[in-house]
Amino acid sequence: MKTAFTDLVGIEYPLVGFNRSPGVVAEVSRAGALGVLAATAYRPEELDAQLTWIEEQIGGRPYGVDLLIPAQLADGDAADLVASLRAQIPDEHIQFVERLMAAYGVPPRQHHDAYVAAVNTNPSIVSELLDVAFSHRISLIASALGTPPAYLVERAKEAGVTVAALVGKRSHAERQLAAGVDLLIAQGTEAGGHTGTIATMILTPEIVDAAGEVPVLAAGGIASGRQMAAALALGAAGVWCGSVWLASDEDIAPAPIKAKFLVATSSDTLRSTTRTGKPARQLRSAWHEEWEKPGAPKPLPMPLQSLLVQPAWNRIDEAAEAGHEGALELESYFVGQVVGSFARLRPAAEITRALVEECRVRLGELGRLAES
Ligand SMILES: Cc1cc2nc3c(=O)[nH]c(=O)nc-3n(C[C@H](O)[C@H](O)[C@H](O)COP(=O)(O)O)c2cc1C
């Protein structure tokens, strides 16, 4: 299945598997597609170990990383940065989250870890993460939010690494193209994680038209070969899938979240700013009902909201794994509307093969339809 995208990164199938679990990334790349590691939540030394492990699993096959990259890098002590950010969180918000934990009886964490993933949006840590990423043989680097800064584009071009960027509307795509990206990902509102308001069906052809020679992948709402074929029909050079891997054996999400996903319907997600400060699609739970109640504070901007709520999510995840009822009610995670199609957990390699094979069959049927 050769497209401009498979040629660009040197893979067999025009399919990206985006996930934070090294096991998923390795299996997707081994199966002939492109695994991309969501690296924002890792410490630099963890990322180094993950990328080394992935490379050992995949031989010479290509893979990529995805980071939240700020416009400017900064030197400075990460702990100082976190402390100065924490000082900006209003008391009202801290007390609201504490009351929420108490109302659901969520116990304090047993295993403490002072490090909070949200700090990785901070310039000093991203700088270290970028150094780690470029010290490995990555084929692609994706910038999740905003335009990739010139320092990144230059570094990637020198290293022969493809620069990719996610876009949710045409004006984003124009800015990304001006910044010099090699690949656009048109991500529709159906998607899990940070997402805009335009559906993949509308967005993909718009971005394809704006992109000219630059290849475009479609993202958001693609979890089957039929959906993959539809994306190719819209002019995409491939697909970028995130949610579908959450239903894989290798995904590292806590078991209670995976169990909730398996019974969820496509109506059970919402876009909410309560987790990161920017609208992100996630599974609806009691957590969101509490933030929607009269008197609840307004979520803070990024990265303050993540700093505020991440310790609570660590508590919820830990208690939910221990079967705590209140924590199970609150439990949630980023996921797209395709969650309604999850039937069972499967190996990531099987998911990859099923997507490609069903897409191939569907494209063949459509070809015959055109001739009939
Ligand atoms: C659990 C989860 C976490 C995500 N985190 C990020 C992220 O850190 N960076 C990013 O570029 N996209 C992130 N996304 C969005 C994915 O890259 C992808 O665009 C999206 O999942 C595609 O839509 P789908 O969920 O319908 O497959 C995330 C998606 C999910 C489901």
mmCIF file with all atom_site columns, all heavy atoms in Angstrom, residues 18 38 40 66 144 166 187 190-193 219-222 240-244 246 333-336 338, ligand 1:
data_model
loop_
_atom_site.group_PDB
_atom_site.id
_atom_site.type_symbol
_atom_site.label_atom_id
_atom_site.label_alt_id
_atom_site.label_comp_id
_atom_site.label_asym_id
_atom_site.label_entity_id
_atom_site.label_seq_id
_atom_site.pdbx_PDB_ins_code
_atom_site.Cartn_x
_atom_site.Cartn_y
_atom_site.Cartn_z
_atom_site.occupancy
_atom_site.B_iso_or_equiv
_atom_site.pdbx_formal_charge
_atom_site.auth_seq_id
_atom_site.auth_comp_id
_atom_site.auth_asym_id
_atom_site.auth_atom_id
_atom_site.pdbx_PDB_model_num
ATOM   1   N N   . PHE A 1 18  ? -0.299  5.609  17.442 1.00 0.00 ? 18  PHE A N   1
ATOM   2   C CA  . PHE A 1 18  ? 0.141   6.579  18.448 1.00 0.00 ? 18  PHE A CA  1
ATOM   3   C C   . PHE A 1 18  ? -0.228  6.055  19.826 1.00 0.00 ? 18  PHE A C   1
ATOM   4   O O   . PHE A 1 18  ? -1.395  5.777  20.092 1.00 0.00 ? 18  PHE A O   1
ATOM   5   C CB  . PHE A 1 18  ? -0.568  7.916  18.182 1.00 0.00 ? 18  PHE A CB  1
ATOM   6   C CG  . PHE A 1 18  ? -0.382  8.924  19.277 1.00 0.00 ? 18  PHE A CG  1
ATOM   7   C CD1 . PHE A 1 18  ? 0.608   9.882  19.192 1.00 0.00 ? 18  PHE A CD1 1
ATOM   8   C CD2 . PHE A 1 18  ? -1.179  8.896  20.410 1.00 0.00 ? 18  PHE A CD2 1
ATOM   9   C CE1 . PHE A 1 18  ? 0.793   10.803 20.209 1.00 0.00 ? 18  PHE A CE1 1
ATOM   10  C CE2 . PHE A 1 18  ? -1.006  9.811  21.435 1.00 0.00 ? 18  PHE A CE2 1
ATOM   11  C CZ  . PHE A 1 18  ? -0.016  10.765 21.336 1.00 0.00 ? 18  PHE A CZ  1
ATOM   12  N N   . ALA A 1 38  ? 4.033   8.492  22.440 1.00 0.00 ? 38  ALA A N   1
ATOM   13  C CA  . ALA A 1 38  ? 3.601   9.722  23.104 1.00 0.00 ? 38  ALA A CA  1
ATOM   14  C C   . ALA A 1 38  ? 4.550   9.940  24.263 1.00 0.00 ? 38  ALA A C   1
ATOM   15  O O   . ALA A 1 38  ? 4.510   9.221  25.256 1.00 0.00 ? 38  ALA A O   1
ATOM   16  C CB  . ALA A 1 38  ? 2.175   9.552  23.613 1.00 0.00 ? 38  ALA A CB  1
ATOM   17  N N   . THR A 1 40  ? 5.256   12.843 26.059 1.00 0.00 ? 40  THR A N   1
ATOM   18  C CA  . THR A 1 40  ? 5.092   14.001 26.943 1.00 0.00 ? 40  THR A CA  1
ATOM   19  C C   . THR A 1 40  ? 5.094   13.644 28.421 1.00 0.00 ? 40  THR A C   1
ATOM   20  O O   . THR A 1 40  ? 5.426   14.474 29.242 1.00 0.00 ? 40  THR A O   1
ATOM   21  C CB  . THR A 1 40  ? 3.772   14.736 26.674 1.00 0.00 ? 40  THR A CB  1
ATOM   22  O OG1 . THR A 1 40  ? 2.778   13.765 26.481 1.00 0.00 ? 40  THR A OG1 1
ATOM   23  C CG2 . THR A 1 40  ? 3.869   15.629 25.483 1.00 0.00 ? 40  THR A CG2 1
ATOM   24  N N   . ASP A 1 66  ? 6.310   11.764 19.851 1.00 0.00 ? 66  ASP A N   1
ATOM   25  C CA  . ASP A 1 66  ? 5.406   12.922 19.870 1.00 0.00 ? 66  ASP A CA  1
ATOM   26  C C   . ASP A 1 66  ? 5.632   13.662 21.183 1.00 0.00 ? 66  ASP A C   1
ATOM   27  O O   . ASP A 1 66  ? 5.654   13.060 22.248 1.00 0.00 ? 66  ASP A O   1
ATOM   28  C CB  . ASP A 1 66  ? 3.958   12.412 19.787 1.00 0.00 ? 66  ASP A CB  1
ATOM   29  C CG  . ASP A 1 66  ? 2.931   13.524 19.879 1.00 0.00 ? 66  ASP A CG  1
ATOM   30  O OD1 . ASP A 1 66  ? 2.693   14.030 20.992 1.00 0.00 ? 66  ASP A OD1 1
ATOM   31  O OD2 . ASP A 1 66  ? 2.362   13.879 18.839 1.00 0.00 ? 66  ASP A OD2 1
ATOM   32  N N   . ALA A 1 144 ? 2.551   18.222 19.237 1.00 0.00 ? 144 ALA A N   1
ATOM   33  C CA  . ALA A 1 144 ? 1.129   18.020 19.511 1.00 0.00 ? 144 ALA A CA  1
ATOM   34  C C   . ALA A 1 144 ? 0.333   19.319 19.511 1.00 0.00 ? 144 ALA A C   1
ATOM   35  O O   . ALA A 1 144 ? -0.752  19.386 18.950 1.00 0.00 ? 144 ALA A O   1
ATOM   36  C CB  . ALA A 1 144 ? 0.970   17.333 20.847 1.00 0.00 ? 144 ALA A CB  1
ATOM   37  N N   . LEU A 1 166 ? -0.110  18.090 14.282 1.00 0.00 ? 166 LEU A N   1
ATOM   38  C CA  . LEU A 1 166 ? -1.552  17.843 14.287 1.00 0.00 ? 166 LEU A CA  1
ATOM   39  C C   . LEU A 1 166 ? -2.286  19.158 14.095 1.00 0.00 ? 166 LEU A C   1
ATOM   40  O O   . LEU A 1 166 ? -1.931  20.163 14.718 1.00 0.00 ? 166 LEU A O   1
ATOM   41  C CB  . LEU A 1 166 ? -1.969  17.232 15.629 1.00 0.00 ? 166 LEU A CB  1
ATOM   42  C CG  . LEU A 1 166 ? -1.784  15.721 15.752 1.00 0.00 ? 166 LEU A CG  1
ATOM   43  C CD1 . LEU A 1 166 ? -0.332  15.375 16.002 1.00 0.00 ? 166 LEU A CD1 1
ATOM   44  C CD2 . LEU A 1 166 ? -2.650  15.151 16.856 1.00 0.00 ? 166 LEU A CD2 1
ATOM   45  N N   . GLN A 1 187 ? -6.739  16.246 12.347 1.00 0.00 ? 187 GLN A N   1
ATOM   46  C CA  . GLN A 1 187 ? -7.348  15.506 13.450 1.00 0.00 ? 187 GLN A CA  1
ATOM   47  C C   . GLN A 1 187 ? -8.739  16.059 13.729 1.00 0.00 ? 187 GLN A C   1
ATOM   48  O O   . GLN A 1 187 ? -8.896  17.197 14.176 1.00 0.00 ? 187 GLN A O   1
ATOM   49  C CB  . GLN A 1 187 ? -6.447  15.595 14.682 1.00 0.00 ? 187 GLN A CB  1
ATOM   50  C CG  . GLN A 1 187 ? -6.816  14.604 15.754 1.00 0.00 ? 187 GLN A CG  1
ATOM   51  C CD  . GLN A 1 187 ? -6.627  15.201 17.137 1.00 0.00 ? 187 GLN A CD  1
ATOM   52  O OE1 . GLN A 1 187 ? -6.914  16.364 17.375 1.00 0.00 ? 187 GLN A OE1 1
ATOM   53  N NE2 . GLN A 1 187 ? -6.165  14.388 18.052 1.00 0.00 ? 187 GLN A NE2 1
ATOM   54  N N   . GLU A 1 190 ? -13.731 13.958 16.574 1.00 0.00 ? 190 GLU A N   1
ATOM   55  C CA  . GLU A 1 190 ? -14.038 12.624 17.118 1.00 0.00 ? 190 GLU A CA  1
ATOM   56  C C   . GLU A 1 190 ? -12.900 12.057 17.955 1.00 0.00 ? 190 GLU A C   1
ATOM   57  O O   . GLU A 1 190 ? -13.068 11.125 18.732 1.00 0.00 ? 190 GLU A O   1
ATOM   58  C CB  . GLU A 1 190 ? -14.269 11.616 15.966 1.00 0.00 ? 190 GLU A CB  1
ATOM   59  C CG  . GLU A 1 190 ? -15.345 11.952 14.989 1.00 0.00 ? 190 GLU A CG  1
ATOM   60  C CD  . GLU A 1 190 ? -14.822 12.728 13.791 1.00 0.00 ? 190 GLU A CD  1
ATOM   61  O OE1 . GLU A 1 190 ? -13.949 13.616 13.973 1.00 0.00 ? 190 GLU A OE1 1
ATOM   62  O OE2 . GLU A 1 190 ? -15.291 12.461 12.679 1.00 0.00 ? 190 GLU A OE2 1
ATOM   63  N N   . ALA A 1 191 ? -11.695 12.603 17.735 1.00 0.00 ? 191 ALA A N   1
ATOM   64  C CA  . ALA A 1 191 ? -10.469 12.027 18.293 1.00 0.00 ? 191 ALA A CA  1
ATOM   65  C C   . ALA A 1 191 ? -10.429 12.079 19.812 1.00 0.00 ? 191 ALA A C   1
ATOM   66  O O   . ALA A 1 191 ? -11.002 12.977 20.434 1.00 0.00 ? 191 ALA A O   1
ATOM   67  C CB  . ALA A 1 191 ? -9.264  12.779 17.745 1.00 0.00 ? 191 ALA A CB  1
ATOM   68  N N   . GLY A 1 192 ? -9.661  11.153 20.388 1.00 0.00 ? 192 GLY A N   1
ATOM   69  C CA  . GLY A 1 192 ? -9.339  11.219 21.805 1.00 0.00 ? 192 GLY A CA  1
ATOM   70  C C   . GLY A 1 192 ? -8.238  12.237 22.026 1.00 0.00 ? 192 GLY A C   1
ATOM   71  O O   . GLY A 1 192 ? -7.459  12.520 21.120 1.00 0.00 ? 192 GLY A O   1
ATOM   72  N N   . GLY A 1 193 ? -8.153  12.798 23.215 1.00 0.00 ? 193 GLY A N   1
ATOM   73  C CA  . GLY A 1 193 ? -7.120  13.795 23.526 1.00 0.00 ? 193 GLY A CA  1
ATOM   74  C C   . GLY A 1 193 ? -7.539  15.190 23.097 1.00 0.00 ? 193 GLY A C   1
ATOM   75  O O   . GLY A 1 193 ? -8.713  15.450 22.815 1.00 0.00 ? 193 GLY A O   1
ATOM   76  N N   . ALA A 1 219 ? -6.886  11.733 11.080 1.00 0.00 ? 219 ALA A N   1
ATOM   77  C CA  . ALA A 1 219 ? -6.945  11.207 12.444 1.00 0.00 ? 219 ALA A CA  1
ATOM   78  C C   . ALA A 1 219 ? -8.282  11.568 13.056 1.00 0.00 ? 219 ALA A C   1
ATOM   79  O O   . ALA A 1 219 ? -8.892  12.583 12.705 1.00 0.00 ? 219 ALA A O   1
ATOM   80  C CB  . ALA A 1 219 ? -5.819  11.789 13.294 1.00 0.00 ? 219 ALA A CB  1
ATOM   81  N N   . GLY A 1 220 ? -8.728  10.715 13.988 1.00 0.00 ? 220 GLY A N   1
ATOM   82  C CA  . GLY A 1 220 ? -10.002 10.987 14.649 1.00 0.00 ? 220 GLY A CA  1
ATOM   83  C C   . GLY A 1 220 ? -11.083 10.104 14.075 1.00 0.00 ? 220 GLY A C   1
ATOM   84  O O   . GLY A 1 220 ? -11.511 10.282 12.933 1.00 0.00 ? 220 GLY A O   1
ATOM   85  N N   . GLY A 1 221 ? -11.492 9.120  14.857 1.00 0.00 ? 221 GLY A N   1
ATOM   86  C CA  . GLY A 1 221 ? -12.602 8.270  14.416 1.00 0.00 ? 221 GLY A CA  1
ATOM   87  C C   . GLY A 1 221 ? -12.180 7.102  13.545 1.00 0.00 ? 221 GLY A C   1
ATOM   88  O O   . GLY A 1 221 ? -13.032 6.483  12.898 1.00 0.00 ? 221 GLY A O   1
ATOM   89  N N   . ILE A 1 222 ? -10.888 6.775  13.532 1.00 0.00 ? 222 ILE A N   1
ATOM   90  C CA  . ILE A 1 222 ? -10.444 5.674  12.659 1.00 0.00 ? 222 ILE A CA  1
ATOM   91  C C   . ILE A 1 222 ? -9.964  4.505  13.525 1.00 0.00 ? 222 ILE A C   1
ATOM   92  O O   . ILE A 1 222 ? -8.929  4.594  14.200 1.00 0.00 ? 222 ILE A O   1
ATOM   93  C CB  . ILE A 1 222 ? -9.333  6.150  11.696 1.00 0.00 ? 222 ILE A CB  1
ATOM   94  C CG1 . ILE A 1 222 ? -9.879  7.294  10.831 1.00 0.00 ? 222 ILE A CG1 1
ATOM   95  C CG2 . ILE A 1 222 ? -8.842  4.996  10.826 1.00 0.00 ? 222 ILE A CG2 1
ATOM   96  C CD1 . ILE A 1 222 ? -8.828  8.175  10.209 1.00 0.00 ? 222 ILE A CD1 1
ATOM   97  N N   . TRP A 1 240 ? -3.730  8.165  11.147 1.00 0.00 ? 240 TRP A N   1
ATOM   98  C CA  . TRP A 1 240 ? -3.005  8.308  12.432 1.00 0.00 ? 240 TRP A CA  1
ATOM   99  C C   . TRP A 1 240 ? -4.027  7.928  13.506 1.00 0.00 ? 240 TRP A C   1
ATOM   100 O O   . TRP A 1 240 ? -5.005  8.633  13.715 1.00 0.00 ? 240 TRP A O   1
ATOM   101 C CB  . TRP A 1 240 ? -2.557  9.754  12.550 1.00 0.00 ? 240 TRP A CB  1
ATOM   102 C CG  . TRP A 1 240 ? -1.930  10.216 13.824 1.00 0.00 ? 240 TRP A CG  1
ATOM   103 C CD1 . TRP A 1 240 ? -2.576  10.474 14.988 1.00 0.00 ? 240 TRP A CD1 1
ATOM   104 C CD2 . TRP A 1 240 ? -0.548  10.559 14.049 1.00 0.00 ? 240 TRP A CD2 1
ATOM   105 N NE1 . TRP A 1 240 ? -1.683  10.945 15.922 1.00 0.00 ? 240 TRP A NE1 1
ATOM   106 C CE2 . TRP A 1 240 ? -0.427  11.014 15.370 1.00 0.00 ? 240 TRP A CE2 1
ATOM   107 C CE3 . TRP A 1 240 ? 0.601   10.537 13.247 1.00 0.00 ? 240 TRP A CE3 1
ATOM   108 C CZ2 . TRP A 1 240 ? 0.783   11.431 15.919 1.00 0.00 ? 240 TRP A CZ2 1
ATOM   109 C CZ3 . TRP A 1 240 ? 1.804   10.955 13.799 1.00 0.00 ? 240 TRP A CZ3 1
ATOM   110 C CH2 . TRP A 1 240 ? 1.895   11.394 15.110 1.00 0.00 ? 240 TRP A CH2 1
ATOM   111 N N   . CYS A 1 241 ? -3.831  6.773  14.129 1.00 0.00 ? 241 CYS A N   1
ATOM   112 C CA  . CYS A 1 241 ? -4.831  6.266  15.080 1.00 0.00 ? 241 CYS A CA  1
ATOM   113 C C   . CYS A 1 241 ? -4.293  6.322  16.514 1.00 0.00 ? 241 CYS A C   1
ATOM   114 O O   . CYS A 1 241 ? -3.146  5.931  16.758 1.00 0.00 ? 241 CYS A O   1
ATOM   115 C CB  . CYS A 1 241 ? -5.177  4.817  14.769 1.00 0.00 ? 241 CYS A CB  1
ATOM   116 S SG  . CYS A 1 241 ? -5.808  4.569  13.111 1.00 0.00 ? 241 CYS A SG  1
ATOM   117 N N   . GLY A 1 242 ? -5.131  6.773  17.428 1.00 0.00 ? 242 GLY A N   1
ATOM   118 C CA  . GLY A 1 242 ? -4.737  6.853  18.833 1.00 0.00 ? 242 GLY A CA  1
ATOM   119 C C   . GLY A 1 242 ? -5.576  5.947  19.711 1.00 0.00 ? 242 GLY A C   1
ATOM   120 O O   . GLY A 1 242 ? -5.065  5.083  20.422 1.00 0.00 ? 242 GLY A O   1
ATOM   121 N N   . SER A 1 243 ? -6.896  6.124  19.640 1.00 0.00 ? 243 SER A N   1
ATOM   122 C CA  . SER A 1 243 ? -7.758  5.408  20.592 1.00 0.00 ? 243 SER A CA  1
ATOM   123 C C   . SER A 1 243 ? -7.724  3.895  20.428 1.00 0.00 ? 243 SER A C   1
ATOM   124 O O   . SER A 1 243 ? -7.764  3.168  21.422 1.00 0.00 ? 243 SER A O   1
ATOM   125 C CB  . SER A 1 243 ? -9.209  5.892  20.443 1.00 0.00 ? 243 SER A CB  1
ATOM   126 O OG  . SER A 1 243 ? -9.310  7.225  20.871 1.00 0.00 ? 243 SER A OG  1
ATOM   127 N N   . VAL A 1 244 ? -7.659  3.431  19.190 1.00 0.00 ? 244 VAL A N   1
ATOM   128 C CA  . VAL A 1 244 ? -7.840  1.994  18.952 1.00 0.00 ? 244 VAL A CA  1
ATOM   129 C C   . VAL A 1 244 ? -6.832  1.153  19.754 1.00 0.00 ? 244 VAL A C   1
ATOM   130 O O   . VAL A 1 244 ? -7.150  0.048  20.200 1.00 0.00 ? 244 VAL A O   1
ATOM   131 C CB  . VAL A 1 244 ? -7.778  1.678  17.430 1.00 0.00 ? 244 VAL A CB  1
ATOM   132 C CG1 . VAL A 1 244 ? -6.375  1.852  16.865 1.00 0.00 ? 244 VAL A CG1 1
ATOM   133 C CG2 . VAL A 1 244 ? -8.297  0.287  17.143 1.00 0.00 ? 244 VAL A CG2 1
ATOM   134 N N   . LEU A 1 246 ? -5.827  1.664  22.718 1.00 0.00 ? 246 LEU A N   1
ATOM   135 C CA  . LEU A 1 246 ? -6.184  1.567  24.138 1.00 0.00 ? 246 LEU A CA  1
ATOM   136 C C   . LEU A 1 246 ? -6.876  0.235  24.412 1.00 0.00 ? 246 LEU A C   1
ATOM   137 O O   . LEU A 1 246 ? -6.946  -0.218 25.552 1.00 0.00 ? 246 LEU A O   1
ATOM   138 C CB  . LEU A 1 246 ? -7.085  2.740  24.546 1.00 0.00 ? 246 LEU A CB  1
ATOM   139 C CG  . LEU A 1 246 ? -6.428  4.130  24.384 1.00 0.00 ? 246 LEU A CG  1
ATOM   140 C CD1 . LEU A 1 246 ? -7.455  5.238  24.569 1.00 0.00 ? 246 LEU A CD1 1
ATOM   141 C CD2 . LEU A 1 246 ? -5.288  4.307  25.363 1.00 0.00 ? 246 LEU A CD2 1
ATOM   142 N N   . TYR A 1 333 ? -10.247 8.506  31.198 1.00 0.00 ? 333 TYR A N   1
ATOM   143 C CA  . TYR A 1 333 ? -8.995  8.748  30.479 1.00 0.00 ? 333 TYR A CA  1
ATOM   144 C C   . TYR A 1 333 ? -9.350  9.288  29.101 1.00 0.00 ? 333 TYR A C   1
ATOM   145 O O   . TYR A 1 333 ? -10.498 9.206  28.659 1.00 0.00 ? 333 TYR A O   1
ATOM   146 C CB  . TYR A 1 333 ? -8.193  7.434  30.360 1.00 0.00 ? 333 TYR A CB  1
ATOM   147 C CG  . TYR A 1 333 ? -6.765  7.643  29.923 1.00 0.00 ? 333 TYR A CG  1
ATOM   148 C CD1 . TYR A 1 333 ? -5.938  8.569  30.558 1.00 0.00 ? 333 TYR A CD1 1
ATOM   149 C CD2 . TYR A 1 333 ? -6.231  6.926  28.846 1.00 0.00 ? 333 TYR A CD2 1
ATOM   150 C CE1 . TYR A 1 333 ? -4.636  8.759  30.145 1.00 0.00 ? 333 TYR A CE1 1
ATOM   151 C CE2 . TYR A 1 333 ? -4.920  7.109  28.435 1.00 0.00 ? 333 TYR A CE2 1
ATOM   152 C CZ  . TYR A 1 333 ? -4.127  8.029  29.094 1.00 0.00 ? 333 TYR A CZ  1
ATOM   153 O OH  . TYR A 1 333 ? -2.842  8.220  28.678 1.00 0.00 ? 333 TYR A OH  1
ATOM   154 N N   . PHE A 1 334 ? -8.352  9.836  28.433 1.00 0.00 ? 334 PHE A N   1
ATOM   155 C CA  . PHE A 1 334 ? -8.571  10.345 27.073 1.00 0.00 ? 334 PHE A CA  1
ATOM   156 C C   . PHE A 1 334 ? -8.960  9.195  26.153 1.00 0.00 ? 334 PHE A C   1
ATOM   157 O O   . PHE A 1 334 ? -8.291  8.167  26.129 1.00 0.00 ? 334 PHE A O   1
ATOM   158 C CB  . PHE A 1 334 ? -7.294  10.986 26.524 1.00 0.00 ? 334 PHE A CB  1
ATOM   159 C CG  . PHE A 1 334 ? -6.736  12.063 27.408 1.00 0.00 ? 334 PHE A CG  1
ATOM   160 C CD1 . PHE A 1 334 ? -5.552  11.884 28.094 1.00 0.00 ? 334 PHE A CD1 1
ATOM   161 C CD2 . PHE A 1 334 ? -7.412  13.256 27.563 1.00 0.00 ? 334 PHE A CD2 1
ATOM   162 C CE1 . PHE A 1 334 ? -5.029  12.873 28.918 1.00 0.00 ? 334 PHE A CE1 1
ATOM   163 C CE2 . PHE A 1 334 ? -6.911  14.258 28.390 1.00 0.00 ? 334 PHE A CE2 1
ATOM   164 C CZ  . PHE A 1 334 ? -5.718  14.067 29.064 1.00 0.00 ? 334 PHE A CZ  1
ATOM   165 N N   . VAL A 1 335 ? -10.001 9.393  25.382 1.00 0.00 ? 335 VAL A N   1
ATOM   166 C CA  . VAL A 1 335 ? -10.391 8.395  24.375 1.00 0.00 ? 335 VAL A CA  1
ATOM   167 C C   . VAL A 1 335 ? -11.349 9.065  23.395 1.00 0.00 ? 335 VAL A C   1
ATOM   168 O O   . VAL A 1 335 ? -12.061 10.011 23.753 1.00 0.00 ? 335 VAL A O   1
ATOM   169 C CB  . VAL A 1 335 ? -11.034 7.144  25.025 1.00 0.00 ? 335 VAL A CB  1
ATOM   170 C CG1 . VAL A 1 335 ? -12.433 7.417  25.546 1.00 0.00 ? 335 VAL A CG1 1
ATOM   171 C CG2 . VAL A 1 335 ? -11.057 5.955  24.076 1.00 0.00 ? 335 VAL A CG2 1
ATOM   172 N N   . GLY A 1 336 ? -11.355 8.580  22.161 1.00 0.00 ? 336 GLY A N   1
ATOM   173 C CA  . GLY A 1 336 ? -12.219 9.160  21.139 1.00 0.00 ? 336 GLY A CA  1
ATOM   174 C C   . GLY A 1 336 ? -13.558 8.442  21.039 1.00 0.00 ? 336 GLY A C   1
ATOM   175 O O   . GLY A 1 336 ? -13.806 7.461  21.752 1.00 0.00 ? 336 GLY A O   1
ATOM   176 N N   . VAL A 1 338 ? -14.579 6.475  18.919 1.00 0.00 ? 338 VAL A N   1
ATOM   177 C CA  . VAL A 1 338 ? -14.496 5.067  18.489 1.00 0.00 ? 338 VAL A CA  1
ATOM   178 C C   . VAL A 1 338 ? -14.523 4.102  19.671 1.00 0.00 ? 338 VAL A C   1
ATOM   179 O O   . VAL A 1 338 ? -14.615 2.894  19.462 1.00 0.00 ? 338 VAL A O   1
ATOM   180 C CB  . VAL A 1 338 ? -13.230 4.778  17.640 1.00 0.00 ? 338 VAL A CB  1
ATOM   181 C CG1 . VAL A 1 338 ? -13.266 5.497  16.306 1.00 0.00 ? 338 VAL A CG1 1
ATOM   182 C CG2 . VAL A 1 338 ? -11.959 5.094  18.408 1.00 0.00 ? 338 VAL A CG2 1
HETATM 183 C C1  . LIG B 2 .   ? -5.055  8.539  25.312 1.00 0.00 ? 1   LIG B C1  1
HETATM 184 C C2  . LIG B 2 .   ? -4.712  9.566  24.279 1.00 0.00 ? 1   LIG B C2  1
HETATM 185 C C3  . LIG B 2 .   ? -3.693  10.472 24.539 1.00 0.00 ? 1   LIG B C3  1
HETATM 186 C C4  . LIG B 2 .   ? -3.327  11.389 23.557 1.00 0.00 ? 1   LIG B C4  1
HETATM 187 N N1  . LIG B 2 .   ? -2.275  12.233 23.805 1.00 0.00 ? 1   LIG B N1  1
HETATM 188 C C5  . LIG B 2 .   ? -1.763  12.953 22.785 1.00 0.00 ? 1   LIG B C5  1
HETATM 189 C C6  . LIG B 2 .   ? -0.514  13.639 22.926 1.00 0.00 ? 1   LIG B C6  1
HETATM 190 O O1  . LIG B 2 .   ? 0.099   13.649 23.995 1.00 0.00 ? 1   LIG B O1  1
HETATM 191 N N2  . LIG B 2 .   ? -0.022  14.256 21.836 1.00 0.00 ? 1   LIG B N2  1
HETATM 192 C C7  . LIG B 2 .   ? -0.673  14.241 20.622 1.00 0.00 ? 1   LIG B C7  1
HETATM 193 O O2  . LIG B 2 .   ? -0.137  14.769 19.642 1.00 0.00 ? 1   LIG B O2  1
HETATM 194 N N3  . LIG B 2 .   ? -1.870  13.645 20.490 1.00 0.00 ? 1   LIG B N3  1
HETATM 195 C C8  . LIG B 2 .   ? -2.409  12.988 21.515 1.00 0.00 ? 1   LIG B C8  1
HETATM 196 N N4  . LIG B 2 .   ? -3.585  12.302 21.331 1.00 0.00 ? 1   LIG B N4  1
HETATM 197 C C9  . LIG B 2 .   ? -4.263  12.361 20.033 1.00 0.00 ? 1   LIG B C9  1
HETATM 198 C C10 . LIG B 2 .   ? -3.696  11.308 19.067 1.00 0.00 ? 1   LIG B C10 1
HETATM 199 O O3  . LIG B 2 .   ? -2.410  11.700 18.618 1.00 0.00 ? 1   LIG B O3  1
HETATM 200 C C11 . LIG B 2 .   ? -4.571  11.121 17.825 1.00 0.00 ? 1   LIG B C11 1
HETATM 201 O O4  . LIG B 2 .   ? -4.572  12.278 17.046 1.00 0.00 ? 1   LIG B O4  1
HETATM 202 C C12 . LIG B 2 .   ? -6.010  10.748 18.119 1.00 0.00 ? 1   LIG B C12 1
HETATM 203 O O5  . LIG B 2 .   ? -6.065  9.746  19.097 1.00 0.00 ? 1   LIG B O5  1
HETATM 204 C C13 . LIG B 2 .   ? -6.700  10.274 16.831 1.00 0.00 ? 1   LIG B C13 1
HETATM 205 O O6  . LIG B 2 .   ? -8.052  10.036 17.006 1.00 0.00 ? 1   LIG B O6  1
HETATM 206 P P1  . LIG B 2 .   ? -8.654  8.652  17.611 1.00 0.00 ? 1   LIG B P1  1
HETATM 207 O O7  . LIG B 2 .   ? -8.486  8.806  19.072 1.00 0.00 ? 1   LIG B O7  1
HETATM 208 O O8  . LIG B 2 .   ? -10.069 8.663  17.172 1.00 0.00 ? 1   LIG B O8  1
HETATM 209 O O9  . LIG B 2 .   ? -7.842  7.531  17.033 1.00 0.00 ? 1   LIG B O9  1
HETATM 210 C C14 . LIG B 2 .   ? -4.004  11.425 22.315 1.00 0.00 ? 1   LIG B C14 1
HETATM 211 C C15 . LIG B 2 .   ? -5.048  10.529 22.095 1.00 0.00 ? 1   LIG B C15 1
HETATM 212 C C16 . LIG B 2 .   ? -5.411  9.608  23.047 1.00 0.00 ? 1   LIG B C16 1
HETATM 213 C C17 . LIG B 2 .   ? -6.541  8.649  22.762 1.00 0.00 ? 1   LIG B C17 1
#
